[in-house]
Amino acid sequence: MSVSWVLAIVLIIGVVAFLVARMRASRLEPQPGVKQHSLPGYHGSYALVLAIFPALLFFAIWKAASPLYIDSAVWRGLPGQVTSAPDVNRSLTMGTIYAIGDGLRRLDAAEIEQVRSGQADLKALFATKGLALASNGEPYMVPAAESYRSMSDASSLWSAIGAILISLAGAWFGLSGITLRRRARNNVERVMLWGLIAASTVAILTTVGIVLSMLFQTLSFFQSVPLSNFFFGTVWDPRFAAAGSGGATGQFGLIPLLAGTLYIALVAMLFAVPVGLFAAIYMSEYASRKVRSIVKPVLEVLAGIPTIVYGIFALVTVGPLLRDISAALSGGQPFIAAQSVLTAGLVMGIMLIPFVSSLSDDIISAVPRSLNDGSLGLGATRSETVRNVILPAALPGIVGALLLTASRAIGETMIVVLAAGVAANLTINPGEAMTTITVKIVNQLTGDLEFTSPQTLVAFALGITLFVITLGMNVLALYIVRKYREQYE
């Protein structure tokens, strides 16, 4: 039975349990001195929870654990000379067995007998069924594939039966104990609490897992490349080596990439922050309701444009335009390249405007109107009120919005690839090309490279460096927010 059918059956059982439990709870007869603790909807929700969540938990655990057991059982069933061979590739062997097992499901009885007798060309036979097989495999793989197929089918069947039985048992338990004193509301609230805790835990564990996965690979990288060469090197020349070629290590200087990342982000912020913040002030304090209803959606449309479109816009329009303008100003030789820091920064700044304006507008609008009215009542002008009252009150939120915008700028990739290029230059001239950390992460993980080579592992070192930079920005922003909030209060 497929997963979708199992989920559908469990969901139907849960919905039926909800409806029946709610109906039974609504028909409870009142008793002298006894009040109904929970509304009928809570009784129905409790029955729904009991019918669905234990069954889904069992089904998920079974589906996660059964492949591990089947893999181990099939591997133990292979001939000893195969499993004990020093040069055996377990993943490749098991992958071929699984492919044969999946292909056997598409064969009829006569074709399966041909496969068992060794008379069939597996590769050609599977090709007629629309399946690609790298090779015909070894003779021992067909019995192993049949064992894998039978265990997989049995696992799917028993997991479905178990989930449905658990769902029925939960529904029965939820329906059997409906009384006036049953604390269904408390039970539902407790389940919701644990659900929220589980969601928070998943988010935290995901973050920890991402950091640890990068950290372990980063440590492997620093076993080949000294820390000083990476953090203080001024040359980026990884010297790509094809898989198995044992190529040279190269130079992995972080400074050019870090400088390009911060430089392009700075140019983008210098353009986006004033425009976005002034737009937010206008929409929240000066614009009429009709104008605001038109201007704000138009600005937010920019946030929905894919970054690749911004990159193409920079490549075919902004870059050549800046180059031609600089050539006209200098009398022939342009001092701004088509792919440059300035091009990438300006286009990225355009992309960031809706982030700054929308977030800042919401923050400014959340400032109590009593502060605004009190300032105006004391004789302050509109601009004085904005400068001396509204902005200080909204400063913590605005700093958070700018931090979010800066993080977005630092993590951008596509605009930089098309507008600033991939050359790891170290320069202070905004008219020249530079690149960022994110671009090089993509470059190092693309191509035919050994995963354990320094050329690939450096991507994880770059990733953990970017994470630390973002974390430092968050800590600094939190310090600034608390400092200004204390002064204001």
Side-chain angles (χ1 to χ4, degrees), residues 278-315:
F278 290 159
I281 293 173
Y282 170 75
M283 287 189 295
S284 62
E285 298 298 326
Y286 292 93
S288 64
R289 183 172 299 179
K290 182 178 181 180
V291 173
R292 175 185 170 88
S293 65
I294 297 174
V295 174
K296 187 170 183 178
V298 171
L299 280 176
E300 291 179 346
V301 166
L302 295 175
I305 299 177
T307 57
I308 185 65
V309 176
Y310 283 107
I312 295 173
F313 173 64
L315 181 65

Side-chain angles (χ1 to χ4, degrees), residues 17 19 21 30 37 54 59 98 117-118 136 253 259 319 369 377 427 472:
L19 296 175
H37 181 274
F59 193 68
Y98 292 161
S117 62
N136 286 322
R369 299 306 301 177
T427 178

Side-chain angles (χ1 to χ4, degrees), residues 264 308 310-324 326 334-347 413-425 427 429-435 439:
I264 294 174
I308 185 65
Y310 283 107
I312 295 173
F313 173 64
L315 181 65
V316 303
T317 303
V318 178
L321 178 62
L322 292 177
R323 181 195 58 199
D324 295 342
S326 65
F335 55 86
I336 299 177
Q339 288 187 321
S340 64
V341 172
L342 189 59
T343 302
L346 288 178
V347 176
T413 303
M414 290 308 304
I415 293 178
V416 180
V417 171
L418 297 177
V422 296
N425 298 324
T427 178
N429 183 1
E432 296 182 6
M434 296 183 75
T435 193
V439 172

Side-chain angles (χ1 to χ4, degrees), residues 9-11 13-14 17 47 50-52 54-55 162-172:
I9 293 173
V10 170
L11 181 61
I13 294 173
L50 291 176
I52 291 181
I164 294 173
L165 290 178
I166 292 175
S167 179
L168 291 173
W172 175 82

